[in-house]
Structures are given as structure tokens and as C-alpha cells.
Amino acid sequence: MRNSAFVQYLDIANVIKTELKSVKQKIFKEKNINLKQQKCIEDLKFQLKNQQIIESERDQLRQELKNIRQQKKESASSINVQEYVHQIQELKDQVIEKDKTVKMVQDLYFMRSTEFTDEIETLKNEKSDLHSKLQSQDNSVKQLTEELQNLRHENYMLSSSQNQQRPNYNNRHYNNRRGGRFR
């Protein structure tokens, strides 16, 4: 019965060991997910920088447009005016296109940052859950180890007390008193 209890404790220890490996794999997986998310964040930062460059170009185009209007006022030539009107229209179209691109990038950035915030919160919750499971399993392993040591000590005490109680048949004096032979 004690051997079956010992085997049972060994089985429990193996199950706990397997669960601990599983938890370690989950933590490793979460670390990989975090690295991927950090890469996505870096990509979004890069896109944001590009957006800022686009906004800077848009401001330059607006300034150029303003300069062209100023030049238009200064020059009275009707031929140049038509050409400038055409250029201004082209610049306006470019500004509109770039504004649309900036708006789209901003919307994407907002969506991704919201997703990342949700994912980070989920990961934090999962991490705390895993941490508490690890602590409870660690406590269980410690408790099982203490029980195993107690059982080993009890087994040792029982075997040593059985050895002391068992008569020694190889003892010559004992065999002579019983009329026995040497063995």
C-alpha cells in the first residue's frame, strides 16, 4: 500500500512536471507574440514618421500654392495666369490626395493602437493567471516533496525497526540453544 502511494506521488509529480513544461511553452509562445507585436508597433511608428513627412510635404505644397497665388497677383500676364491656375489646380489635387493618404494612415494607426492595447491587456491578464498557476504548482511540488521525504523517513524507520526485531539465525549461540546446527 505504501508503494502504491509512493507510485501515486511519483505519478502526480510527473503530471505536475508535464503541466510545468506546458506552462513554460505557453510563456515562450507569449514572448514570441510580444516580439511580433513590438515589430508591428515599430512598423506603425515608421508609418507615422512617413505620415509626418507627408504632412510636411503638404505644408510645403500649401506654401508653394500661397507663393504661386502671390506671384499671380504680382504678374499681370493673362497667359501666365492660365498656366498658374492649371498648376494651382494640380497642386490642390495633390494636396487632396495626400490628405486622404494621411487620414487613412491615421485611421489605421488608431485601429492598430487600439488592438495592441486590448492585446496587451489580455496578455497581462494571461500572464498573471499563469503566474498564479505556477505559484500554486510550485507550492504543490514543495508539499509533495515534503511528503515524499516524510514517507522515505517513515520507510527507513520501519525497515530499521524490522531489522532490529528479526532474530539473527546466523548467530551460533542462538542455534545451539535450540539444538540446531550451524547454518
Side-chain angles (χ1 to χ4, degrees), residues 8-182:
Q8 188 178 18
Y9 283 121
L10 285 177
D11 288 343
I12 290 171
N14 283 336
V15 167
I16 290 172
K17 183 179 177 183
T18 303
E19 289 180 2
L20 185 60
K21 283 182 182 178
S22 173
V23 169
K24 285 181 181 178
Q25 288 174 349
K26 286 179 182 177
I27 290 172
F28 179 75
K29 183 179 176 182
E30 294 301 325
K31 284 182 183 177
N32 287 340
I33 289 172
N34 282 342
L35 290 174
K36 288 178 184 177
Q37 289 175 346
Q38 287 177 354
K39 179 165 179 14
C40 287
I41 289 171
E42 291 300 322
D43 290 342
L44 287 173
K45 285 181 182 178
F46 178 74
Q47 289 177 359
L48 183 61
K49 285 181 184 178
N50 285 341
Q51 176 187 347
Q52 289 171 346
I53 291 171
I54 290 170
E55 287 177 353
S56 173
E57 289 176 358
R58 182 189 65 195
D59 292 340
Q60 287 176 351
L61 288 174
R62 285 183 178 165
Q63 184 61 39
E64 287 177 14
L65 184 61
K66 191 176 183 181
N67 292 341
I68 289 172
R69 286 180 183 160
Q70 185 65 31
Q71 289 175 358
K72 178 183 168 185
K73 288 180 182 177
E74 292 174 1
S75 70
S77 169
S78 63
I79 295 172
N80 287 341
V81 169
Q82 287 295 336
E83 186 178 318
Y84 285 125
V85 167
H86 180 68
Q87 287 179 355
I88 290 171
Q89 188 59 43
E90 286 179 2
L91 289 173
K92 282 182 179 179
D93 293 340
Q94 289 177 2
V95 167
I96 290 170
E97 282 296 316
K98 290 195 178 195
D99 279 341
K100 287 178 183 176
T101 305
V102 167
K103 175 92 171 101
M104 183 179 72
V105 169
Q106 284 175 336
D107 291 343
L108 286 173
Y109 179 77
F110 177 76
M111 286 176 24
R112 291 298 288 169
S113 67
T114 304
E115 289 175 7
F116 282 132
T117 303
D118 294 341
E119 287 180 16
I120 287 170
E121 196 60 38
T122 302
L123 288 174
K124 283 180 182 178
N125 292 337
E126 289 177 4
K127 181 180 177 181
S128 71
D129 289 344
L130 287 174
H131 184 67
S132 65
K133 284 180 183 177
L134 270 175
Q135 282 183 329
S136 68
Q137 288 179 355
D138 189 39
N139 291 338
S140 297
V141 169
K142 285 179 184 177
Q143 194 175 24
L144 288 173
T145 303
E146 289 175 11
E147 289 178 22
L148 180 61
Q149 287 176 348
N150 291 337
L151 286 172
R152 283 182 180 164
H153 180 69
E154 182 180 329
N155 188 19
Y156 174 77
M157 295 304 285
L158 285 173
S159 69
S160 97
S161 70
Q162 285 177 351
N163 286 340
Q164 289 176 356
Q165 291 175 356
R166 188 180 308 151
N168 188 355
Y169 293 109
N170 293 329
N171 189 347
R172 181 184 282 177
H173 298 294
Y174 180 81
N175 287 334
N176 283 339
R177 276 187 256 154
R178 293 184 65 217
R181 298 174 145 184
F182 286 30

